[in-house]
Amino acid sequence: MSKTTRVALVTGASGGIGRAVARRLATEGMAVGVHYAGNRKAAEETVAAVEAAGGRALAVSGDVADEGAMADVFSAVEEAFGGIDVVVHTAGVMTLAPVAEFDLDAFDRLMRTNVRGAFVVAREAARRVREGGAVVTFSTSVTRLAFPGYAPYAASKGAVEAMTLVLAREMRGRDVTVNAVAPGPTATPLFLEGKDQETIDRLAAQPPLERLGTPEDIAETVAFLAGPGRWVNGQVLFVNGGIA
């Protein structure tokens, strides 16, 4: 590894947006820690795809809400590649139901992963990301669109936005940017699961560009924030084709 090689850790990189982000950052010459929670095979496929394109990657596993496990994940990436410059936290869960019908155990599980998990990862990033680096968290356009059934998920991402904006200011003097990306409807397994074709078509028709986003669309924005977008800091970027 060259001493000038930048290193990224992408949580939830075994599939969907996380996988697209890992592959995109690798094209920028970054070595990539490919984090996964349970799907080792999918994470290894992401690593293989990065390596097949000439990049370097390492699969690392841990529960994002477990501070010990995530400290080990960060340490493994640092040991393999010499440090960490970019942390992209895409890992999350989405459970949908109206407020009146939402199961409180499901609510607690969602908040543990989406809020506590985001905080644990942000805390490790704040301690470890090198000067000139970047932290990118993930929110959702649903915080503004207010789709029925999304209240707990949107609430969890609202918390992520708040943490992100505060952390950007707490990193003063470190030359580390901290931003959140808020995708709109994006064709990932997490988004498509449980939706009929009529619902998918209706959502795809809402943006002026008249299509769903792709994981690659979102990865382009992350690559900008992780690389040349040094003057963008403490912001929530809505990446949704103009839906709102």
Side-chain angles (χ1 to χ4, degrees):
M1 291 292 295
S2 164
K3 291 183 179 180
T4 61
T5 298
R6 299 184 79 216
V7 179
L9 169 60
V10 182
T11 68
S14 59
I17 291 173
R19 173 177 288 183
V21 168
R23 296 184 66 174
R24 181 65 181 83
L25 295 183
T27 68
E28 298 294 326
M30 296 189 200
V32 183
V34 175
H35 164 269
Y36 67 99
N39 195 337
R40 179 177 178 177
K41 181 176 183 293
E44 290 176 343
E45 290 171 354
T46 302
V47 170
V50 169
E51 293 178 339
R56 296 179 179 179
L58 171 73
V60 285
S61 176
D63 176 358
V64 293
D66 183 323
E67 65 271 33
M70 291 313 295
D72 289 345
V73 164
F74 275 74
S75 293
V77 174
E78 288 176 330
E79 182 177 349
F81 299 127
I84 297 177
D85 303 283
V86 175
V87 173
V88 183
H89 181 56
T90 77
V93 297
M94 181 168 62
T95 305
L96 305 180
V99 170
E101 301 170 14
F102 208 94
D103 178 77
L104 287 179
D105 288 337
F107 180 90
D108 290 343
R109 288 193 296 271
L110 185 150
M111 291 297 169
R112 181 181 185 277
T113 297
N114 290 6
V115 180
R116 179 185 168 93
F119 186 85
V120 167
V121 172
R123 188 176 70 164
E124 286 298 322
R127 293 171 174 177
R128 304 202 195 208
V129 169
R130 294 186 288 201
E131 183 177 344
V135 178
V136 182
T137 65
F138 265 71
S139 180
T140 172
S141 290
V142 178
T143 58
R144 306 297 190 271
L145 299 174
F147 291 154
Y150 281 78
Y153 180 70
S156 74
K157 293 303 187 176
V160 171
E161 289 186 13
M163 286 188 283
T164 301
L165 301 186
V166 171
L167 181 58
R169 286 144 183 85
E170 292 180 349
M171 297 296 280
R172 175 181 292 273
R174 295 270 302 276
D175 191 25
V176 173
T177 63
V178 186
N179 294 286
V181 172
T186 305
T188 66
L190 180 68
F191 173 79
L192 296 173
E193 182 179 359
K195 294 181 174 67
D196 58 30
Q197 192 60 47
E198 180 181 356
T199 300
I200 293 170
D201 291 344
R202 175 173 52 79
L203 292 169
Q206 289 186 0
L209 298 177
E210 296 187 325
R211 65 173 177 86
L212 293 177
T214 67
E216 291 72 24
D217 290 326
I218 311 305
E220 285 296 328
T221 298
V222 174
F224 170 73
L225 294 174
R230 300 304 303 166
W231 199 234
V232 181
N233 190 29
Q235 304 298 317
V236 179
L237 276 69
F238 288 84
V239 187
N240 55 31
I243 194 171

